[in-house]
Amino acid sequence: MSDTESRGPRIAIRPNGPYVVSGGVPLVVKRPIETERGEPVGWLKETTLDEGAAYALCRCGGSLRKPFCDGTHATNAFDGSDAEARTGPVKDYAGESMTVHDDRTICEHAGFCGNQATNVWKMMRNTGDPNVRSQVIAMVERCPSGALSWSSSDSDGTARRIEPDLPVQVAVIPDGPLWVTGGLPVTASSGQALEARNRLTLCRCGSSSNKPFCDGTHKEVGFQHDPAAPIS
């Protein structure tokens, strides 16, 4: 067994370079399932791209072999500084039998938190209704970044943070970030370990103001990459 494998699955971020994923972590494509009105309501796993022991994923947005790194970061003046990367503060929204926790700093604007009729924040007023509460939970647990999470409130007042059961995996979201799940350890380019999270999204357009986290900027800059397209 190699030293890399013995340390287990992980992501190491290279200074001004790619995400190096090691330990045999599956790399898949997950695409949002949308209604006829373009509202995301679920996730579809389309295919597995790579299950090798290690691979490097583009972080600068310029690779011609996306999602894989081709070394373009060395020639396009990519600044991957992540020393100021942050999470929080978290704002809590208390409802009946549950509390939703909202961290705007890591929101990637996937859109699962609302539809044309309502959204998570409006529904928190009515979580005494089990049907409303279940809809809020479904929306929150489909949030890829973990910007939204929730806690249950037991009859004795004890709060328990609830997370969906997600695999140790990296998913490529078309025209969007990398979705890292299952508590996969991530080490910043500074060498500091990021907080272990069940779900988070990492920037791959190169333009986030909160690197390595995605902050939704890929939509503003028009980042495009569909993993279903053949690599040239």
Side-chain angles (χ1 to χ4, degrees):
M1 179 182 293
S2 69
D3 179 62
T4 296
E5 292 172 326
S6 68
R7 289 186 286 116
R10 63 186 58 243
I11 297 176
I13 304 175
R14 296 282 173 82
N16 298 326
Y19 302 106
V20 178
V21 186
S22 58
V25 180
L27 178 65
V28 304
V29 176
K30 283 190 174 179
R31 190 180 301 272
I33 301 170
E34 298 181 342
T35 68
E36 61 274 15
R37 294 181 296 191
E39 300 164 337
V41 293
W43 289 99
L44 173 66
K45 176 184 172 182
E46 288 193 325
T47 187
T48 297
L49 295 178
D50 193 301
E51 290 192 38
Y55 46 86
L57 299 176
C58 176
R59 187 160 71 105
C60 72
S63 173
L64 297 179
R65 299 191 71 254
K66 298 181 188 70
F68 302 102
C69 172
D70 68 355
T72 298
H73 58 272
T75 60
N76 67 359
F78 172 61
D79 180 0
S81 302
D82 54 23
E84 301 301 322
R86 69 193 188 281
T87 60
V90 176
K91 187 171 182 178
D92 295 335
Y93 294 85
E96 188 170 338
S97 301
M98 69 178 300
T99 299
V100 165
H101 314 284
D102 185 0
D103 183 350
R104 293 293 86 198
T105 62
I106 55 173
C107 176
E108 73 104 333
H109 306 287
F112 287 90
C113 52
N115 53 43
Q116 290 187 11
T118 187
N119 60 48
V120 165
W121 299 272
K122 291 179 181 178
M123 288 190 290
M124 288 305 294
R125 298 191 293 264
N126 300 305
T127 54
D129 181 338
N131 292 323
V132 174
R133 189 162 65 249
S134 64
Q135 186 177 2
V136 171
I137 291 170
M139 286 180 165
V140 168
E141 292 196 344
R142 288 171 184 145
C143 169
S145 67
L148 291 180
S149 58
W150 73 283
S151 295
S152 68
S153 301
D154 295 340
S155 57
D156 62 358
T158 302
R160 295 182 301 152
R161 186 68 69 98
I162 308 295
E163 276 288 325
D165 185 14
L166 297 172
V168 176
Q169 181 177 268
V170 176
V172 181
I173 299 175
D175 300 334
L178 297 172
W179 182 14
V180 180
T181 58
L184 187 62
V186 180
T187 303
S189 61
S190 64
Q192 183 172 354
L194 301 182
E195 177 188 359
R197 287 175 169 264
N198 184 44
R199 49 194 164 130
L200 58 88
T201 47
L202 297 176
C203 173
R204 70 184 185 104
C205 73
S207 300
S208 172
S209 297
N210 192 28
K211 297 183 186 72
F213 301 109
C214 171
D215 66 357
T217 302
H218 56 274
K219 295 183 178 180
E220 298 176 18
V221 300
F223 176 72
Q224 292 183 325
H225 170 242
D226 188 338
I231 297 176
S232 58

